[in-house]
Amino acid sequence: RLMRLFQEVKVCDGDSVRGARMVGKGLATVEGKLLLQRFDFTEKGVSAFMNGNLVYNPLTYSLEVSGFDAKTISFPQNSSVMEVQFGVLTLDALHLPSEIFMSTAHYFNAESLVTDFVMSPLVLPTASDVYVAVVGLRFYEVVNGERYLLKSLNCQSVEVV
């Protein structure tokens, strides 16, 4: 599925001739970005688990979450903690190495009172052709004060914002 997405994104590269088109150049277009944003990386997107508004601010490379209410989240069986992580992936159309700039993780349980929060990478991205903002969500079981990641597919989610 992911390879098919990349093939579709490459078609959006209108600068290169057929056979020389690149994913990075395709992602630099509005159409390429829309294809990526609409792609379901996981069965349920982060916004399906997490209520509230998730807004990416491209000027500050930050994710602003408002109206979040942990009490309304359906925690998967055996989970008691949800982790939210945010990152900005940089893609360069001419050079293959990409880099991701991550925020610190935020952890919530069903009793968490936080409703609004902002997540920003610890180190801000440097110049690049394309920036892709990604939010991830994972669930944990806590046993004797230790968090254990639940690896079931319904306990993890990734979404482009």
Side-chain angles (χ1 to χ4, degrees):
R1 287 184 338 110
L2 191 57
M3 291 308 294
R4 187 173 64 227
L5 168 68
F6 289 148
Q7 291 298 325
E8 291 174 16
V9 169
K10 280 172 55 172
V11 171
C12 298
D13 171 5
D15 295 339
S16 306
V17 296
R18 188 173 179 187
R21 294 182 177 148
M22 293 187 268
V23 173
K25 285 187 176 183
L27 285 173
T29 67
V30 172
E31 298 84 6
K33 288 177 186 173
L34 281 173
L35 284 169
L36 185 65
Q37 285 177 329
R38 292 179 180 154
F39 184 77
D40 293 324
F41 286 91
T42 52
E43 190 175 310
K44 288 174 78 174
V46 170
S47 50
F49 280 106
M50 220 174 132
N51 56 20
N53 299 310
L54 284 72
V55 178
Y56 173 60
N57 183 334
L59 299 176
T60 61
Y61 305 107
S62 60
L63 179 69
E64 300 165 3
V65 180
S66 60
F68 172 70
D69 184 358
K71 292 177 192 73
T72 63
I73 293 174
S74 283
F75 281 78
Q77 185 176 355
N78 297 328
S79 68
S80 53
V81 173
M82 177 182 77
E83 173 193 55
V84 180
Q85 189 115 40
F86 171 71
V88 178
L89 177 67
T90 61
L91 301 170
D92 188 320
L94 300 176
H95 305 93
L96 284 180
S98 59
E99 194 171 359
I100 190 154
F101 297 84
M102 298 299 297
S103 70
T104 43
H106 286 247
Y107 295 93
F108 303 96
N109 60 33
E111 290 79 39
S112 295
L113 299 175
V114 174
T115 58
D116 301 336
F117 58 96
V118 176
M119 300 180 82
S120 298
L122 296 174
V123 176
L124 293 180
T126 55
S128 178
D129 288 344
V130 179
Y131 298 97
V132 180
V134 179
V135 62
L137 186 139
R138 300 189 293 189
F139 288 93
Y140 293 83
E141 179 178 19
V142 177
V143 178
N144 296 326
E146 293 288 323
R147 283 191 301 260
Y148 294 92
L149 178 64
L150 299 176
K151 296 183 179 179
S152 170
L153 289 178
N154 70 334
C155 295
Q156 301 180 39
S157 182
V158 175
E159 186 174 313
V160 174
V161 289

